[in-house]
């Protein structure tokens, strides 16, 4: 399963407000569409750190890094090579 | 359960307890009645390095880990009967944590030494007259002007607000965006044109903690007053709340232990019907509940502290610690007053003040209801869908 798929599954099963958007596309807007809110991001962060053994530093806690599955995947991959 | 502190942590805790019992509890009832902030005692706490524990040495701190810092505030909550002073100190440390986590290195180097030394008093301004639990419904705005921002709005019930030298103000930088991305955090200083502080608001408890209104009227701040990035406010707020919901329960757990000790002592000494009242199960079972909650509270607190100390995100664990310990303290204080009978209702016996102080703990830093909402959501309940998606 790719990183994007893991993130998609988590958002779909644990966070999603509205099941009618399934399946979520990689570039689907998560914030503007209200799929994830500020607590949703914290939930997602805890999951990402646990699942991928990465630490997301304060500098990267930016809304744009959580704007879509693609953005979240890129954030994780940046942390993994650090 | 016996918590295992390291030798160093145990020694620091012993020092803090001895200091607080010797110096911080004198005239606490009078201070509470007068509702005055004990700046001299604040300075003594700063000299004891209570504000410096967590911050790196290059920034004027002592560089201890978070669990050690939590153990220090746990000890302080136990030994210091002036809960308003304790809350004021936590407010300062929380501002330091926000700066340490999100400010630039230059900002941290400039600001943290005065936080760690206690030379300047800091406050964090989120709550507004129209937004409490719904914090991100705030109306204070920050509009770009030239190289800086123009702030307008008002804040209320801000801890340390009336006496603060510096305030971390949350404001909307882009009202068209949803909460995420629409808010930012700014440093405002006393003396900044357009910034003014109201008088302390009189309260039921925590009367030595100064809470009040702050007013921003075309208050211009330069670009380097922005803490973190523009639009980062909501994430920054949630992250800082996790640290606060660990540090505050540390003090509350210490208070709970003190209330338990006071109540056990009273129940052993006070006699009715020819025997100590502690021999009656109506009394002893209340005390058993207090003890049970102390032991469970330790588990919740130090679990949350370990997670935050290793920089993990812990919205669930910190909300559990905050909700469980604050509600346990409030119930313990109610039971302590009941066990003390008529004396418990008199100001001479300190459980009356402890009850008044404890009620605030279930309101500030997110009410118990908000903590329960977070926990329910993280237990798997889906939030209400506010946006219809096509």
């Amino acid at each position: 399963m790719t990183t994007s798929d893991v993130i998609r599954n988590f958002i779909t099963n644990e966070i999603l407000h509205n099941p009618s958007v399934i399946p979520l596309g990689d570039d689907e807007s998560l914030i503007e569409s209200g799929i994830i809110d500020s607590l949703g991001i914290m939930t997602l962060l805890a999951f990402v750190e646990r699942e991928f053994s990465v630490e997301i530093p304060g500098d990267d806690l930016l809304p744009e890094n959580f704007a879509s599955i693609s953005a979240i995947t890129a954030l994780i991959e940046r942390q993994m090579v650090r | 359960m016996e918590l295992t502190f390291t030798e160093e942590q145990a020694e620091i805790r012993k020092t803090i307890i001895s200091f607080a019992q010797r110096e911080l509890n004198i005239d606490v009832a009078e201070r509470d009645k007068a509702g005055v902030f004990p700046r001299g005692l604040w300075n003594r706490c700063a000299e004891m390095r209570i504000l410096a524990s967590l911050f790196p040495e290059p920034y004027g701190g002592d560089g201890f880990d978070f669990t050690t810092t939590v153990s220090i505030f746990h000890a302080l909550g136990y030994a210091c009967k002036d809960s308003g002073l304790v809350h004021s100190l936590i407010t300062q440390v929380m501002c330091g944590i926000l700066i340490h986590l999100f400010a630039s290195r230059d900002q941290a180097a400039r600001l943290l030494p005065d936080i760690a030394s206690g030379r300047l008093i800091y406050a964090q301004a989120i709550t507004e007259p129209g937004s409490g639990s719904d914090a991100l419904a705030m109306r204070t705005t920050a509009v770009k002007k030239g190289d800086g921002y123009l702030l307008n709005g008002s804040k209320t019930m801000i801890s340390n607000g009336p006496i603060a030298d510096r305030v971390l103000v949350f404001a909307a930088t882009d009202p068209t965006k949803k909460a995420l991305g629409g808010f930012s955090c700014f440093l405002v200083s006393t003396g900044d044109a357009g910034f003014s502080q109201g008088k302390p608001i009189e309260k039921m408890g925590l009367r030595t903690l100064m809470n009040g209104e702050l007013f921003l009227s075309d208050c211009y701040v330069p670009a380097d007053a922005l803490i973190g990035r523009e639009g980062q406010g909501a994430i920054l707020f949630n992250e800082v709340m996790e640290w606060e919901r660990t540090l505050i329960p540390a003090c509350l757990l210490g208070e709970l232990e003190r209330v338990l000790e006071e109540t056990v002592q009273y129940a052993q000494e006070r006699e009715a019907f020819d025997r100590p009242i502690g021999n009656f199960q109506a009394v002893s079972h209340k005390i058993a509940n207090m003890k049970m909650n102390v032991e469970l509270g330790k588990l919740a607190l130090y679990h949350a502290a370990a997670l935050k100390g290793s920089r993990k995100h812990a919205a669930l664990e910190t909300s559990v610690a905050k909700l469980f310990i604050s509600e346990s303290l409030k119930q313990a204080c109610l039971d302590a007053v009941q066990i003390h009978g008529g004396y418990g209702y008199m100001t001479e016996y300190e459980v009356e003040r402890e009850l008044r102080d404890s009620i605030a703990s279930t309101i500030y830093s997110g009410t118990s209801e908000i903590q329960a909402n977070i926990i329910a959501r993280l237990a798997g309940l889906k939030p209400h869908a506010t946006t219809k998606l096509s």
Side-chain angles (χ1 to χ4, degrees), chain A residues 15-16 27 32 37 41 44 51-52 80:
Chain A
I15 293 182
L16 202 59
D27 295 317
E32 292 304 314
D37 59 9
I41 283 191
L44 183 63
E51 183 72 20
F52 298 97
M80 290 174 86

Side-chain angles (χ1 to χ4, degrees), chain A residues 13 21 32 37 49 58 61, chain B residues 178 232 313 377 382 389:
Chain A
N13 294 323
V21 299
E32 292 304 314
D37 59 9
E49 290 182 343
L61 293 179
Chain B
K178 290 178 180 294
Q232 204 180 11
H313 286 90
R377 176 130 165 226
K382 300 292 185 287
L389 302 173

Side-chain angles (χ1 to χ4, degrees), chain A residues 13 16-18 21 31-33 35-43 45-46 49 55 58 61-64, chain B residues 101-102 136 178 180-181 229 231-232 235 238-239 242 311-313 315 374 377-378 382-385 387 389:
Chain A
N13 294 323
L16 202 59
H17 296 216
N18 188 340
V21 299
I31 294 173
E32 292 304 314
S33 62
I35 292 173
I36 58 174
D37 59 9
S38 59
L39 182 58
I41 283 191
M42 306 315 280
T43 312
L45 271 169
E49 290 182 343
E55 181 187 313
L61 293 179
L62 299 165
E64 52 264 39
Chain B
L101 290 177
F102 292 99
L136 296 177
K178 290 178 180 294
L180 275 169
R229 298 260 296 271
Q232 204 180 11
I235 294 176
N238 272 354
E239 172 63 22
E242 291 187 10
R311 298 297 177 98
K312 298 280 190 285
H313 286 90
I374 293 170
R377 176 130 165 226
L378 296 174
K382 300 292 185 287
H384 177 65
T387 309
L389 302 173

Side-chain angles (χ1 to χ4, degrees), chain B residues 245-300:
Chain B
R245 288 170 187 161
T246 313
L247 215 45
I248 283 176
C251 298
L252 302 179
L253 183 62
E255 289 176 48
L256 178 58
E257 289 174 295
R258 188 178 70 240
V259 170
L260 170 63
E261 281 184 13
E262 289 166 352
T263 309
V264 167
Q265 185 180 345
Y266 186 81
Q268 284 176 327
E269 290 173 357
R270 172 72 177 174
E271 293 194 355
F273 306 101
D274 297 326
R275 50 180 164 158
I277 60 170
N279 285 7
F280 296 104
Q281 287 184 336
V283 171
S284 66
H285 287 186
K286 284 185 169 66
I287 290 172
N289 273 332
M290 288 183 202
K291 179 63 176 168
M292 181 175 70
N293 290 342
V294 163
E295 298 306 314
L296 293 173
K298 286 179 190 172
L299 293 174

